[in-house]
Amino acid sequence: MSESPAAGTKVPPAAETSENPPPSGLVTPRPHLRSPRSRPYALTVRALGPVVLLALWWAASATGLLTADVLASPAEVFRAVGELWGNGQLPDALTTSLTRSGLGLVIGLAAGLALGIVTGFTRLGDELLDSSLQTLRTIPFLSLVPLFMVWFGINETAKILLIAVATTFPMYVSTSSGVRTTDPKLIEAMRAFGMSRLGIVRQVVLPGALPSLLAGLRLSMTLSVIALIAAEEINATAGIGYLMSQAQCYARTDILAVCILVYGLLGLTADVLVRLLERVLMPWRTPQGARR
């Protein structure tokens, strides 16, 4: 009969006894610890790329590799910004372009959100609408410019609706995909408690689809700037596109560069706004690339 160990005696683990030696070839795991980065450091790294491009642009202009008839120097572009801002052309153009882009974006987001909820949440809506919408989504919105000019003329309606069409489908696809991924058991449980369809959509489906909604918003806001460039080619008499047309007639590459930079800054601002909205609505999400 074996004797039991005395009380208080520490029994070594089986893996450490002479009868059960630890397996050879194994190493102690080392968890990857992310080194903290300060906010100023992160902003400096992000700004490094644009600063390098600006330095290369300035160097090419200073050495004569880039002549003014091809592209104006950064100093000339900065002077053009002061000129356009001083005479009021740039603020007026920005106001006009932002109004067009904003109205078209709001219409496109509302349409895409509504259609995405209908097709993603109801079987009838999916069967009736999804195939038609997927077909329309494959049509490049730039091909609609001549047709819109015939339908709506060359006024503001054609420009705003072109932006609305371009921004509808990214929001529709993201919303429909996010709604479909909602847990069906959770929906059935809410129905069992007597919650209405509208209440389920508002309190269960939309919060669950929030990551997809924000992804669609990000794509739509960026695409609204691209569509704005195309829309302002429809015989515009005001806006950034009008400034570009006037600068092209007089070969003002400095003003052309200003307009291109403005379009780029509008797209960057839209992206930054959505990122800030993600941090506010989903503070638990890890920033992209933080684990690497």
Side-chain angles (χ1 to χ4, degrees), residues 20-57:
N20 298 297
S24 60
L26 296 182
V27 296
T28 304
R30 292 182 179 181
H32 177 70
L33 299 178
R34 178 169 52 93
S35 58
R37 290 183 177 181
S38 62
R39 187 68 176 171
Y41 176 81
L43 293 176
T44 302
V45 173
R46 287 183 180 272
L48 191 59
V51 170
V52 171
L53 290 177
L54 182 62
L56 292 175
W57 180 14

Side-chain angles (χ1 to χ4, degrees), residues 15-240:
E16 297 179 2
T17 60
S18 58
E19 292 81 9
N20 298 297
S24 60
L26 296 182
V27 296
T28 304
R30 292 182 179 181
H32 177 70
L33 299 178
R34 178 169 52 93
S35 58
R37 290 183 177 181
S38 62
R39 187 68 176 171
Y41 176 81
L43 293 176
T44 302
V45 173
R46 287 183 180 272
L48 191 59
V51 170
V52 171
L53 290 177
L54 182 62
L56 292 175
W57 180 14
W58 177 85
S61 300
T63 56
L65 294 176
L66 194 62
T67 57
D69 58 335
V70 176
L71 183 63
S73 65
E76 292 172 337
V77 172
F78 291 147
R79 283 196 293 269
V81 172
E83 174 189 342
L84 294 173
W85 194 271
N87 57 28
Q89 293 185 18
L90 187 57
D92 292 342
L94 273 174
T95 302
T96 303
S97 294
L98 287 175
T99 302
R100 290 171 181 157
S101 180
L103 289 175
L105 179 64
V106 169
I107 296 173
L109 291 178
L113 183 65
L115 292 171
I117 292 174
V118 170
T119 58
F121 189 63
T122 64
R123 182 180 301 176
L124 180 61
D126 181 42
E127 294 172 348
L128 286 176
L129 300 175
D130 186 67
S131 58
S132 300
L133 291 172
Q134 294 296 343
T135 303
L136 293 174
R137 185 175 67 89
T138 61
I139 300 175
F141 71 90
L142 292 177
S143 65
L144 300 176
V145 173
L147 192 60
F148 275 34
M149 292 177 66
V150 173
W151 286 352
F152 307 107
I154 55 176
N155 53 19
E156 291 296 309
T157 304
K159 301 177 180 62
I160 293 173
L161 290 181
L162 183 65
I163 298 172
V165 170
T167 55
T168 295
F169 295 108
M171 193 64 189
Y172 163 72
V173 172
S174 299
T175 303
S176 179
S177 176
V179 170
R180 292 173 196 271
T181 58
T182 305
D183 188 356
K185 295 181 179 179
L186 183 60
I187 295 177
E188 289 299 326
M190 294 300 102
R191 284 175 178 169
F193 281 107
M195 184 176 289
S196 64
R197 280 199 169 191
L198 183 60
I200 292 174
V201 170
R202 188 177 64 252
Q203 301 184 30
V204 178
V205 175
L206 291 182
L210 189 57
S212 297
L213 296 180
L214 290 176
L217 175 62
R218 187 175 183 180
L219 291 173
S220 295
M221 290 186 71
T222 304
L223 197 58
S224 69
V225 179
I226 300 175
L228 174 65
I229 300 174
E232 292 189 331
E233 297 297 325
I234 307 177
N235 196 26
T237 57
I240 303 298

